[in-house]
Amino acid sequence: MADDETPGDGPSPEDDFQELIRRLFGGSAGEVDPEQLSRLSGMNIDPAMMQAVMRQLQGAFENADESGISWDMAKRQALHIANQEGLGVTAGQRTDLDQAFSLATLWLSEATTISELPAPPVTLTRGAWVEATLPVWEELAAPVATSIADALTTALSEQAPEDMQGLVQGAGRLMRTVGGSLFASQLGQVVGNLSKEVVSGGDVGIPLMPDGEAAILPQNFADFGRDLEVPDDQLALYAATRELAHARLFRHARWLRLHVISQVTDFARGVHVDTDALEDLATRFDPSEPEELRKAIESGALLPARSEAQDAALARLENLLATIEGWVEVVTEDATSRLPAAQRISEAVRRRRAVGGPADRALGSLVGLEIRPRRMREAAAMWRAVTDAVGPAARDALWDYPDLMPAAADIDDPGALVARLEARARGEEPVRDEMDDALARLLAGEELGESAAEDASADPTSAEGPDASEDDGGNGTPDDHRPV
């Protein structure tokens, strides 16, 4: 209350509200005067609700990292949803899946030259899957969370009246925390609900599990096969084989994991919040009915239409995921060829991915990204043609280096890729140039400095012997830097 107020002239409800916000910004939400809260009824604000909101925001403010995002909140919410049914992995389920993984390992080794995993596959509860995969979800979602937090701060500054601008300017970090907390809550809900659907570690299509780890979730495995009328042992063998193929590929091609994640995050960094939609929502928002705001964030309604750059990034990502999924499908098909129900299970997996599986819904709401591998059938046809023409060894060698991996043009025209591979098998290698040699040295781990030194020693004009340093003043530092 101002010192110059006349006796009996109390503060207005608006003054009380501003004072509450000042206390919250100052980190003293726990010291709010109950009498001050009670006077908020003049603004049709429920005092109990306001106090609860302030405690929640204060907690988010204390737990948020430097970006203003409370990842701990996301984890707690995801685990709460994942563990609601309280189902664990029984000894019988673990034994059955361990046996399936053992046989799948043998079958897969006949279908691909990519080596086995160093660690045995595991069976996970839904909660354990959340714990294992949440770090990757955070990495994928962070760019959009930051964008939402920035948009809230900007919208607040633009819409606040002049007499509130001083207050708004000092509230930047808190508003980032509010936006980050809303998004963290959404992330927790998405990942928690996703944990009830995914069947295996590679079910999402992107590398969520730690490198070299394969896993199946028995709780969801039973639901997946309920309508297929396929014996459980055959379903387990197929799921185990597909999961091992996915995990083996990403462990073999160490660069592939970063390649996929970086393409998703590059897309996400281009996402901006639709400020018009945000302002429209703000005009209709009722603090006592937060469901509309939650639905808007969860559905992705605040994310605007994709830009041309994002459309191009999406096309690249879809081609990459289709290439990966196509290889996994062909290898799994070959490995499970002796399984009577393999074709029926494979078609069920394709349909599940085509109509938008768990990953499509999750990333659609989180970053506005649809990753249905629309070209998966074409990519699988490409890998089948390659396998039939040059065999598994030459096919799998295409994952050795990034520049060997088939491109979108190869999916369009598998015949050209097959022709190149057949020519290579006949020893008709294309003439190597300096770029090929430099790339080979780089991928082999050689230091460019060592190559430069070798070039210098072969140059008759280069200095030789212990007196070579005299040309550069005796300090051993060359006077120029020539590219290799």
Side-chain angles (χ1 to χ4, degrees):
M1 181 180 296
D3 294 336
D4 58 352
E5 284 180 344
T6 59
D9 185 14
S12 67
E14 289 79 3
D15 292 335
D16 279 323
F17 181 74
Q18 291 188 27
E19 178 60 24
L20 285 176
I21 296 298
R22 289 189 181 93
R23 286 178 178 271
L24 181 59
F25 290 164
S28 56
E31 304 171 6
V32 175
D33 184 359
E35 181 180 354
Q36 190 178 42
L37 278 170
S38 67
R39 290 199 294 266
L40 288 175
S41 58
M43 293 182 65
N44 295 321
I45 296 176
D46 181 5
M49 182 202 70
M50 174 56 69
Q51 194 166 31
V53 168
M54 293 181 72
R55 281 198 301 267
Q56 183 176 4
L57 293 179
Q58 186 70 21
F61 185 77
E62 293 172 353
N63 295 326
D65 60 15
E66 293 182 359
S67 66
I69 304 168
S70 178
W71 297 119
D72 285 343
M73 178 187 295
K75 182 177 180 179
R76 287 195 302 270
Q77 189 153 4
L79 289 174
H80 174 72
I81 296 173
N83 296 327
Q84 278 178 344
E85 297 180 11
L87 299 178
V89 180
T90 67
Q93 289 173 326
R94 184 173 286 107
T95 299
D96 291 344
L97 287 172
D98 284 346
Q99 292 175 350
F101 273 126
S102 296
L103 183 53
T105 298
L106 297 177
W107 285 1
L108 198 58
S109 295
E110 298 174 356
T112 178
T113 59
I114 293 180
S115 60
E116 298 180 16
L117 300 176
V122 296
T123 51
L124 294 179
T125 63
R126 293 167 178 169
W129 179 86
V130 168
E131 296 266 11
T133 63
L134 197 56
V136 177
W137 286 116
E138 292 174 3
E139 184 177 358
L140 298 178
V144 180
T146 301
S147 179
I148 289 178
D150 290 342
L152 285 173
T153 304
T154 301
L156 176 66
S157 177
E158 292 176 350
Q159 297 299 318
E162 287 294 330
D163 58 349
M164 291 284 286
Q165 285 298 322
L167 183 63
V168 169
Q169 290 176 3
R173 185 185 170 197
L174 182 61
M175 290 311 298
R176 290 182 62 82
T177 301
V178 172
S181 297
L182 288 171
F183 192 84
S185 176
Q186 179 202 0
L187 176 63
Q189 291 183 33
V190 168
V191 175
N193 289 324
L194 191 59
S195 72
K196 297 180 178 181
E197 300 183 44
V198 292
V199 176
S200 62
D203 196 21
V204 174
I206 55 179
L208 295 174
M209 294 294 294
D211 183 37
E213 292 190 16
I216 283 182
L217 284 71
Q219 293 165 280
N220 303 335
F221 171 75
D223 293 336
F224 171 68
R226 181 164 290 126
D227 299 328
L228 293 180
E229 298 181 355
V230 172
D232 288 345
D233 58 344
Q234 293 193 42
L235 191 64
L237 266 172
Y238 188 93
T241 304
R242 185 177 180 85
E243 170 65 3
L244 286 175
H246 189 272
R248 280 193 188 190
L249 175 60
F250 275 93
R251 188 178 187 279
H252 171 78
R254 297 297 183 93
W255 52 269
L256 187 58
R257 179 186 184 89
L258 179 60
H259 195 44
V260 173
I261 292 178
S262 63
Q263 287 207 23
V264 177
T265 54
D266 285 348
F267 178 93
R269 288 190 185 95
V271 172
H272 299 285
V273 175
D274 188 340
T275 54
D276 291 338
L278 183 64
E279 291 173 4
D280 178 64
L281 181 62
T283 61
R284 297 180 283 105
F285 179 60
D286 181 356
S288 64
E289 298 289 340
E291 187 67 14
E292 186 175 6
L293 177 59
R294 184 190 68 78
K295 287 182 178 179
I297 296 178
E298 187 172 304
S299 66
L302 298 181
L303 304 181
R306 292 189 299 265
S307 65
E308 291 184 6
Q310 284 184 302
D311 284 336
L314 178 59
R316 291 192 298 270
L317 180 60
E318 285 183 339
N319 283 322
L320 173 61
L321 294 176
T323 303
I324 294 170
E325 290 288 321
W327 182 91
V328 170
E329 180 175 322
V330 167
V331 171
T332 302
E333 181 180 309
D334 289 348
T336 59
S337 58
R338 67 197 79 179
L339 202 63
Q343 286 298 326
R344 194 188 314 171
I345 302 172
S346 176
E347 188 58 35
V349 172
R350 287 196 202 101
R351 287 198 305 268
R352 186 169 182 248
R353 297 302 301 276
V355 299
D360 194 54
R361 292 192 298 276
L363 288 175
S365 62
L366 286 174
V367 299
L369 175 62
E370 298 175 0
I371 59 169
R372 299 178 194 178
R374 293 177 173 83
R375 307 190 68 191
M376 191 174 74
R377 288 183 183 272
E378 292 89 341
M382 175 196 70
W383 286 116
R384 173 57 61 200
V386 169
T387 305
D388 293 343
V390 298
R395 175 201 66 199
D396 296 343
L398 294 175
W399 294 107
D400 289 349
Y401 304 114
D403 59 324
L404 296 178
M405 187 185 74
D410 297 318
I411 298 178
D412 295 332
D413 183 13
L417 173 62
V418 168
R420 293 199 306 271
L421 293 176
E422 288 178 332
R424 181 181 301 170
R426 294 191 299 267
E428 301 173 6
E429 290 282 353
V431 179
R432 296 175 63 88
D433 57 19
E434 293 182 3
M435 181 63 71
D436 292 326
D437 294 335
L439 180 60
R441 289 195 298 270
L442 182 62
L443 293 174
E446 292 184 14
E447 296 292 339
L448 292 180
E450 294 177 3
S451 300
E454 293 174 1
D455 293 342
S457 63
D459 184 355
T461 63
S462 64
E464 297 179 358
D467 296 330
S469 61
E470 293 178 1
D471 292 340
D472 54 45
N475 58 8
T477 303
D479 56 0
D480 64 354
H481 300 277
R482 297 181 178 88
V484 177

